[in-house]
Amino acid sequence: MARLRFAQFGRIDLPDTRSSVGAEIAGARPRVIAALVAQLRDIDLAEDAFAEAAATFLEKGVSADNVPAWLFTAAKRKALDALRKRAAQAKHAADEAQVSEMSNVIQLPEAIPDERLRLIFICCHPAIALEARTALAMKVICGLPVPEIARVFVSSEPAMFQRITRAKAKIRKAGIAFELPPRKAWAERLDAVLLTLELAYTVAYQDAAAERDGELAGEVSRLANMVAELLPQEPEALGLAALVALARSREAARVDEDGAMIPLSQQDCSLWDAALIEHARALLDQAAEFARTGPYQVMAAIQLCHARRGVDRKTDWAAIVKLYDALMMMRPGAVVALNRAVALSQVEGVAAGLTALEELPKDKLQSLRPYHAARADMMIRSGRDEEARASLRAALGLDPPSAERRFLEQRLGKLG
């Protein structure tokens, strides 16, 4: 099969994802890929086949009542055509060759408990390095392009592409079973599963207006809640579900009438979803009963502190700094240190925040928009407008989603 660059049909670069057709294809991708991998047992083959099916759909202007089912049927045909060309796979192709012509009414195979969750567990096999399996799961399940994955890992694109390629090869060569592992084996994969969902939601959350993929946040939220329900004895699974619920509770307040992102500290808290906040608080209470505090519980506690502003009308920044201190002990890293510096500037003043910011490894943060945005904010508060302009321009140069771009441009405009 001629290999197509899958990125052109991915979550971000699908031709005109703002159109209903483009959005429907992008939204169908995770489920169709999961179903294809479950049957074909070959991740690369599934991705290539989906890319070709999507290209055919767009080029021929296909009209289908059930787009995901059409894509699944067409992709499976293309994959089987490719398998027939492989002499060693001839028998397997013959066995799988029967595909229904009823592409408008066919239902994708349903797995228990969920096809995408099953595939996440497969990709997160302990035989693969943690970062590689997490990156692979983000690409295959969430449809995130390699540059986006590299950015959230604070890594280079070539290095991340290499990790993903090696992870796929490891799965293929090791003959890792494409089935949900028994419950007793879930714990050894849980860290990677949670990290996959965390980073996928991070990408979704950065797109405040949900223009690039309006369904990603909801899908990750659904999967996070499913993991918490399946593993109620795992406090960190409960913590992640709480963290995602708290982030989603602010969706209605994140963009102004001009389409610009509104920072958390400036949001109208009356627009926050009180039911989701209460759901998150209950999850954290449930997790606390196990007396095994982990990073997801701490991150959720930080967001719960922010949520308290809806009741207290103020933010307890001192408590947030302490929570970041605890998080640094559990999961040290440049991004956590960046967030701590921002909180510190609210407690001890902007000078203390800038000092903490300047101590961070800049080589690891230059590709992160939050670093430049935080630095710009502190420079503005310090009266150092020229340095603030430079930081805002740096952030704008990192391809921000439209709502964030408008916010950054507004700040830059106010500086003249």
Side-chain angles (χ1 to χ4, degrees), residues 84-377:
R84 290 189 187 97
K85 295 175 183 178
R86 302 178 187 175
Q89 298 279 344
K91 185 177 184 303
H92 174 73
D95 293 340
E96 291 289 325
Q98 298 301 317
V99 179
S100 171
E101 294 294 331
M102 301 176 65
S103 63
N104 282 332
V105 297
I106 189 172
Q107 297 299 312
L108 294 182
E110 293 292 346
I112 298 175
D114 181 90
E115 287 168 347
R116 279 155 290 196
L117 185 59
R118 177 178 67 179
L119 196 50
I120 288 177
F121 271 95
I122 291 169
C123 291
C124 292
H125 195 282
I128 306 170
L130 176 61
E131 185 172 301
R133 53 182 134 146
T134 301
L136 175 62
M138 290 176 68
K139 182 179 186 299
V140 174
I141 307 301
C142 305
L144 299 177
V146 174
E148 198 85 52
I149 298 171
R151 190 172 293 131
V152 296
F153 273 103
V154 196
S155 176
S156 70
E157 183 178 343
M160 187 54 61
F161 181 81
Q162 189 175 53
R163 290 190 184 100
I164 292 172
T165 301
R166 287 176 177 173
K168 288 181 179 179
K170 180 87 172 182
I171 288 177
R172 184 170 56 252
K173 292 178 181 177
I176 294 174
F178 279 80
E179 59 187 19
L180 191 69
R183 184 176 290 267
K184 63 182 181 180
W186 289 6
E188 63 185 0
R189 307 186 187 205
L190 184 61
D191 286 347
V193 171
L194 297 181
L195 183 58
T196 297
L197 296 176
E198 175 203 347
L199 296 180
Y201 192 80
T202 296
V203 173
Y205 187 78
Q206 289 174 350
D207 184 10
E211 290 187 344
R212 290 182 169 176
D213 187 344
E215 297 185 6
L216 181 58
E219 180 63 12
V220 175
S221 176
R222 186 185 70 81
L223 292 174
N225 280 311
M226 180 176 290
V227 173
E229 291 170 5
L230 290 169
L231 298 169
Q233 78 286 1
E234 293 289 347
E236 282 294 82
L238 299 171
L240 177 65
L243 177 64
V244 174
L246 287 163
R248 296 210 74 195
S249 73
R250 301 193 287 264
E251 287 180 351
R254 297 194 64 211
V255 178
D256 67 18
E257 58 186 11
D258 296 322
M261 182 187 75
I262 304 175
L264 175 56
S265 61
Q266 299 173 27
Q267 289 175 14
D268 180 357
C269 52
S270 68
L271 298 177
W272 293 347
D273 189 326
L276 274 177
I277 293 172
E278 177 57 26
H279 172 62
R281 188 197 59 76
L283 286 170
L284 283 179
D285 286 346
Q286 184 180 346
E289 295 177 1
F290 295 94
R292 285 187 282 129
T293 303
Y296 289 112
Q297 295 167 74
V298 175
M299 286 189 281
I302 290 170
Q303 296 307 314
L304 195 58
C305 281
H306 285 293
R308 286 291 304 175
R309 182 164 69 84
V311 177
D312 301 336
R313 303 302 171 185
K314 62 180 181 180
T315 302
D316 189 347
W317 287 106
I320 291 174
V321 170
K322 290 179 180 178
L323 286 167
Y324 274 120
D325 288 339
L327 187 58
M328 280 294 292
M329 295 178 65
M330 297 175 182
R331 200 164 82 171
V335 175
V336 177
L338 169 62
N339 290 326
R340 182 188 179 279
V342 171
L344 188 66
S345 74
Q346 298 291 338
V347 177
E348 299 184 9
V350 67
L354 273 173
T355 298
L357 200 66
E358 295 302 323
E359 292 174 352
L360 301 181
K362 295 181 179 58
D363 58 321
K364 291 187 175 181
L365 294 170
Q366 288 297 324
S367 63
L368 292 182
R369 293 190 304 270
Y371 166 73
H372 297 289
R375 190 172 186 277
D377 179 69

